[in-house]
Amino acid sequence: MKGLHQQSSLLSALSKHDLIPTEMVDKISEGFIQQNKPFIRYLVEDKNFNANRIAAILSKSFGYPVIDLTEFDTSLVPEGIRNEKLVRKHGALPLFLRGKVLFVAMSDPTNLDALEEIQFNTGYTTELILASEQELHKCIDKVLEDESSALDISDIDTDELSDMDVQEDTTDDNVGATGDKDDAPIVVYINKILLDAIKKGASDLHFEPYEKSYRIRFRVDGILAEVAKPPIALASRMAARLKVMSKLDIAERRVPQDGRIKLALSRKKSIDFRVSTLPTMWGEKIVMRILDSSSAMLGIDMLGYEPEQKKIYMDALAQPQGMILVTGPTGSGKTVSLYTGLNILNTQERNISTAEDPVEINLEGINQVQINARAGLTFPSALRSFLRQDPDIVMVGEIRDLETAEIAIKAAQTGHLVLSTLHTNSAAETLTRLLNMGVPSYNVASSVSIIIAQRLARRLCMQCKEEEKVPPQELINQGFPADKVNEIKLFKAVGCEHCTGGYKGRVGIYEVIKISSEVASIIMEGGNSLDIAAQCQKEGFNNLRQSGIQKAMQGVTSLEEINRVTSA
């Protein structure tokens, strides 16, 4: 109720000054209720209102001064009170102290809870200063990035590196961003590459040797792009350095190896990398997956679930037993969805165990088991052990075979909440996959609570996206609701200095279905995935395509991107 009252006050102020036409107030109010974001951010990002004009109007209406953060010296931000959790939660940045008064920049003058919480946590009296929504979030990102970065490594001319020796160190798992004991050029160069990948938000790094060239690529927002071409003479030396950092055998070049690196960015923040080497025709290809634990702490509101989908997931997590299945191809965000659910469940009263291959992100308070098939520690053996250790919640990294499926289903039927993944294209196909594995239909129908199929789509850059005109008939052909084609506003990617090809970040697209009695009956009667999908449509569950269309209609992503990640 408090949030709706704040929204009403803001709407009243903005419409009074003719920023929002009176006839649009109700429509904007209804649209905001469907979003999981602060009202000012919704106006700027989803409705394309001018952030500076909003700040100016709210300054007049509420009597707070406005600050231009484009010229603000971020070194003034007091170091001892940069609470990242509070800053991100409220979009409120402490700017500077004057005596016992802490001045805090916010875009929403009605969010007094933020000021009270900051005052409680810091012990200082707080004063509000208004700021443009866009400028504020740029400034927040800069302050928090500056705090977490331990070193700014300058560019290195790779042509000068080819004749230099590499000094290796094997001292500690925590490899600092400064190159540990030495400052050998390749050590510095590798560290620069790793830091650049983190700053660009890459999920993977690829180091690839060829006959006459060597390239380094980053996967950003799901798309691979070349970022550097060092001399081919450096290939073996770079591989050796990465293998030393990963605690791998640098003399072994004939077989694949797997390792991990912990890169310390500061005393409080570190990033893990999962490293895989592969012998190829011209050397060792090395792929590094960035495992940032903060991605598992985003919270369900940041993942992109529609309100009704979020409710189904949260209701399933609140049940004492049953099975939650998340499905999708590699790289579709299944792990983050599962870890987000585990974080919600992770309380002192619950015993949570996971079996993973590999363990990607370490979660405090959860018993995580790394599968090791060579040593006999398989998914089935780990699950059997879990059930002898009084678990409340069990997570199985992936159901790959009948034995794992049967034990997981047994656990779900005997008072345990089970979370797991499968590799299928849709929610309906997940059920038939279990049946094809040999799981009896009555076990599938009685144990599975919900299925989440998902994809990741790139978010449009809010700085440069442009409206895209699409003929109404084409929209209908693409699956948009026929009764709304004349109201739909779509946007396309353009590209600017703030993004990559017109996109920045990713958002989840979900198909979330609850196993109703009707769906259970279809399973029991031997129905196929088409029968199940038809019943889910009848019950009002959006499929992946429909969910993607919603995201395009909300201006979050483009029709082109939806077509890339879902079938038309």
Side-chain angles (χ1 to χ4, degrees), residues 451-463:
I451 301 173
I452 301 172
Q454 66 181 77
R455 301 290 188 274
L456 288 177
R458 292 177 293 170
R459 287 180 181 271
L460 282 167
C461 173
M462 296 302 165
Q463 305 287 333

Side-chain angles (χ1 to χ4, degrees), residues 31-51:
F32 164 69
I33 293 171
Q34 298 173 4
Q35 301 298 310
N36 292 313
K37 60 178 68 172
F39 184 62
I40 301 296
R41 192 180 308 170
Y42 165 70
L43 291 178
V44 173
E45 293 183 356
D46 291 35
K47 295 299 179 182
N48 295 307
F49 284 98
N50 185 284

Side-chain angles (χ1 to χ4, degrees), residues 268-280:
K268 293 184 178 180
K269 184 172 178 63
S270 61
I271 300 286
D272 288 332
F273 294 80
R274 191 177 79 222
V275 183
S276 172
T277 73
L278 178 70
T280 65

Side-chain angles (χ1 to χ4, degrees), residues 342-362:
L342 288 178
N343 272 320
I344 292 170
L345 296 167
N346 188 12
T347 63
Q348 190 175 349
E349 298 81 23
R350 294 188 175 106
N351 177 17
I352 304 176
S353 295
T354 73
E356 304 173 63
D357 185 20
V359 174
E360 295 200 0
I361 297 173
N362 296 323

Side-chain angles (χ1 to χ4, degrees), residues 218-239:
F218 293 168
R219 187 180 294 278
V220 178
D221 296 336
I223 305 296
L224 275 171
E226 185 178 290
V227 295
K229 293 194 74 170
I232 185 61
L234 291 181
S236 61
R237 300 179 181 184
M238 293 180 72

